[in-house]
Amino acid sequence: MRWKPGDPRPDPRSMVRVDQAGEYGATRIYAGQLAVMGDRSDTARAISGMANQEERHRRFFDALMAERGVRPTALQPVWNVAGFALGAATAAMGPAAAMACTVAVETEIDRHYGEQLDALGSDDPILSDAVAEFRAEEVEHRESALAAGAETAPAYPVLAGAIRLACRAAISLSKRI
C-alpha cells in the first residue's frame, strides 16, 4: 500500500491488542454457549470445534503481544463477563440463536480483519498473514452457522443487529483502552 504524507499510518500495536481482545471474547462467548448447551448435540459439537480454533487464534495473539511488548486492553475483565453472558444467553434461546450470535460476530470480524489487511498492506507480514488465515476461518464459522439455521432464530434481524453493534463498540473501545 502506498502512503502519502498526512495519511494515517496503521498501528500494528493497536491491531494486535484489539485482535487479542476479540479472540479472547470469542472464546468466552463459546464457553458461555457450551456451559448452557453441554456437549451432546450436533450444534454443541460444531461450537466446540469453532471454540478450539478461536483458542488457537487467541494463543497466537497472546504470544505476539508478549513478543512485541503490547499491553492488553484494560477492558479484558469486561469482555470476560460480557462474552460469557452473551454466549449463555444466546444458547439459552436455543441452537439457532447461538448460531445467530456466531453469524453476527463473525460478520463484524470479517469486516474488521479486512480493514486491517487493507491498512497493513505488506508492512507487517507476520501480522497480515495471521489475520488473513484467521479471517478465512472466521468466514467458515459464519457460513457453518448460516447452514445450521442461524437465520431461523427468534427475531434474527434484531438479535444479529444488536450483537453486531456491540461487536463494533467492543472493537472501537479495545483499540484505545
Side-chain angles (χ1 to χ4, degrees):
M1 180 172 273
R2 293 186 181 254
W3 298 100
K4 296 178 272 184
D7 283 351
R9 302 285 294 174
D11 180 7
R13 294 173 65 81
S14 175
M15 290 178 182
V16 170
R17 177 176 20 274
V18 73
D19 292 350
Q20 188 276 344
E23 298 298 349
Y24 177 74
T27 64
R28 299 306 298 147
I29 291 169
Y30 287 133
Q33 289 177 337
L34 292 171
V36 170
M37 298 177 84
D39 62 358
R40 298 175 195 255
S41 69
D42 289 340
T43 301
R45 283 188 285 281
I47 288 170
S48 182
M50 293 178 210
N52 289 336
Q53 285 185 314
E54 301 295 357
E55 182 61 30
R56 183 175 53 81
H57 300 174
R58 186 200 52 80
R59 283 194 312 267
F60 171 84
F61 285 117
D62 284 350
L64 197 58
M65 287 175 73
E67 178 184 309
R68 295 184 178 189
V70 176
R71 68 167 176 78
T73 177
L75 296 171
Q76 192 132 341
V78 175
W79 303 154
N80 176 25
V81 173
F84 191 91
L86 176 60
T90 56
M93 294 171 64
M99 288 295 155
C101 180
T102 295
V103 170
V105 170
E106 302 301 17
T107 297
E108 288 306 313
I109 297 307
D110 177 33
R111 182 189 59 76
H112 168 72
Y113 277 164
E115 289 172 358
Q116 281 190 343
L117 289 170
D118 289 345
L120 281 169
S122 59
D123 288 351
D124 189 336
I126 291 171
L127 181 56
S128 59
D129 288 351
V131 167
E133 176 188 339
F134 298 165
R135 181 185 189 195
E137 291 176 357
E138 308 296 6
V139 169
E140 288 175 13
H141 296 173
R142 180 181 65 215
E143 297 306 314
S144 295
L146 285 167
E151 294 173 309
T152 65
Y156 174 79
V158 174
L159 177 64
I163 294 169
R164 288 184 64 187
L165 180 62
C167 287
R168 287 192 298 273
I171 289 167
S172 180
L173 291 168
S174 292
K175 286 178 184 177
R176 294 166 184 82
I177 300 173

